[in-house]
Amino acid sequence: HYGKDQLDQAIKYFAKVVDEDPIPDALKQNTLFSLAQLSLGQGDYAQTLTYLDRWQAVVGDDSAQKADVLRAQALYQKGDYQQALAPIQRAIAAAEKSGEAGDENWYVLQRAIHYELGQTAEVAAILEKMVKHFNKPEYWVQLAGVYGQLGQDQQQLAMLEAAYQQGFLTKGQDLQMLVQSYFFGGIPYKAGKVMEQAIAEGKLDADLRNLKLLAQSWIAARETDRAVAALEQAAALSDDGELDAQRAQVLLNAERYEPAIAAA
């Protein structure tokens, strides 16, 4: 039945196996764990936990790690997030105690549980481990975003800068987050360079919002020619004269009176 993907029937006959008495402990252990896994796959989370309890009674605590992961998955799917936290923490702690990282999906699950519980600082802590152990681009970006939520702007900028240098920031929204971090972090020249390149490569649209931020970055960086060009582009998309007025002020400050008059 299992080979034919008839899981309901497979569960039925696996259950008959463990009801036999007596049967070897090894057979009972393996069958009960299979029943827990199959029940999880079928979305029967309460039954999953029942089979895990029966399995644990047979094996004791020596092989608890894989059961902890399964238990955490079942509790998470049930929406019992607080109860799901302890078993996945135990599984990861046991792996790290042996000097190894646990399975990547374990960390993904713990991060999801903390997120559902609204524990933003704990989400950051688990993402820090995920960056260290697995070094995937999305984990760098996610951690930067969480630092932003926590108001840790310097840490956010550091993560984004490091991710950018590694070539991990390829999406427009990620590059925009870096530009904003540079700008509000007092590094407008880098904000302008990244925005300019992203627009040139088509990763960010040359729309009014982005061109205004580009112009503001060049103004703050005292890059007059670049600021004037960006303001002129942005003004062409605007339905009022504010950006032309801003361009006139920039030109006036640079003592370029004729173009300042024209802009005004």
Side-chain angles (χ1 to χ4, degrees), residues 212 231 235 238-249:
K212 285 174 73 173
L231 284 168
S238 176
D239 58 2
D240 60 39
E242 290 299 324
L243 293 168
D244 286 318
Q246 195 173 355
R247 180 161 56 96
Q249 186 64 57

Side-chain angles (χ1 to χ4, degrees), residues 103-105 107-108 111 127-144 159 162-164 166-169 174:
D103 187 89
E104 184 175 352
N105 287 330
Y107 294 87
V108 171
R111 180 194 60 188
L127 277 167
E128 287 168 359
K129 291 184 178 183
M130 294 168 78
V131 165
K132 175 183 176 182
H133 294 317
F134 310 111
N135 196 36
K136 287 188 175 179
E138 59 265 33
Y139 299 152
W140 287 77
V141 175
Q142 289 167 13
L143 180 55
M159 288 301 298
Y164 183 67
Q166 295 176 85
F168 288 169
L169 302 187
D174 299 337

